[in-house]
Amino acid sequence: FDSYQNNMFQIPTFLIQKLDQNQIKEFVEKYCFNVKEVSSNVLKILKSKKNIQELLSRPLLLTRAIEIIKIDNYLPEKEGQIIEKFIDMLLKREKDEKKDPLLNIDNFKLLLSYAAQYIWHKSQSNTPLHAFKFNKLLVEGADKFGLERFNAGYITRIGYELEILSKNGDLIQFYHQSYHEFFCKHFLKYEIY
């Protein structure tokens, strides 16, 4: 069924092979530049997370988990929490280390959440939008939530630089489906209250 489904639309499809335990160990060691103390600590914390071993065999989540452990010496228990923690770390670094006075982390996440939920309701997937439409959604979101005027291009630029968004020509989409899902979930906070 998988091969049928993958070929159904006659577009190239790539399935990312999950890593086995030996590959995870090798990946962590290389990612930590073969620094024994760091890689040993990361591996110890990864192994302690019995409930999410399946998730950690995926390269994107594994790299995010390694970064979180290297900085906080801790790893959340759920995929969404790992993605959120990683995105928060990126934004905090942008704000604090790069001294970006314009970045309001809560507003950044709210506006991308607004765009994510629009994309989800339109196509149920991480479908790219024209840059003009994407930026228009950010302005709409700012108006809806009463945020002060801002430059939508600034939000998308930060999104590209942090690899939260990707751009191909005039089309913008979330860098990964997991990011799109996170921002859709994040938006529910604002719809419920």
Side-chain angles (χ1 to χ4, degrees), residues 110-151:
L110 172 57
L111 294 173
L112 286 188
S113 295
Y114 185 81
Q117 67 81 31
Y118 172 87
I119 293 167
W120 175 255
H121 286 292
K122 184 176 180 237
S123 62
Q124 274 77 46
S125 69
N126 185 18
T127 305
L129 289 180
H130 192 278
F132 178 78
K133 177 64 177 171
F134 195 91
N135 287 333
K136 186 177 175 190
L137 283 172
L138 298 179
V139 172
E140 253 176 50
D143 288 343
K144 177 179 177 165
F145 292 106
L147 303 178
E148 62 186 66
R149 284 281 169 213
F150 70 99
N151 180 336

Side-chain angles (χ1 to χ4, degrees), residues 14-63:
F14 302 93
L15 297 176
I16 297 174
Q17 180 181 347
K18 293 181 180 179
L19 303 173
D20 64 31
Q21 289 303 311
N22 290 331
Q23 290 170 319
I24 290 173
K25 182 178 184 291
E26 183 181 350
F27 187 93
V28 168
E29 289 169 350
K30 287 181 180 177
Y31 196 89
C32 295
F33 303 104
N34 294 311
V35 176
K36 184 98 170 113
E37 305 82 42
V38 176
S39 60
S40 294
N41 185 54
V42 168
L43 286 166
K44 182 178 117 191
I45 292 173
L46 291 176
K47 286 179 184 172
S48 75
K49 301 298 180 178
K50 302 283 185 217
N51 295 337
I52 58 172
Q53 290 300 305
E54 175 75 17
L55 293 174
L56 296 173
S57 67
R58 297 179 0 217
L60 177 82
L61 217 55
L62 181 58
T63 57

Side-chain angles (χ1 to χ4, degrees), residues 49-115:
K49 301 298 180 178
K50 302 283 185 217
N51 295 337
I52 58 172
Q53 290 300 305
E54 175 75 17
L55 293 174
L56 296 173
S57 67
R58 297 179 0 217
L60 177 82
L61 217 55
L62 181 58
T63 57
R64 293 349 181 215
I66 293 168
E67 287 297 327
I68 292 168
I69 293 168
K70 285 169 54 178
I71 292 170
D72 279 356
N73 203 32
Y74 163 79
L75 184 64
E77 293 285 337
K78 296 182 179 172
E79 179 179 9
Q81 293 170 337
I82 292 170
I83 297 296
E84 180 172 22
K85 179 77 174 163
F86 181 75
I87 288 173
D88 285 346
M89 285 172 31
L90 289 176
L91 293 169
K92 187 170 175 16
R93 184 183 70 206
E94 185 73 20
K95 177 93 178 143
D96 297 344
E97 291 179 18
K98 294 186 178 178
K99 308 270 190 243
D100 186 338
L102 301 176
L103 180 60
N104 179 312
I105 292 172
D106 292 334
N107 291 352
F108 178 89
K109 288 168 59 177
L110 172 57
L111 294 173
L112 286 188
S113 295
Y114 185 81

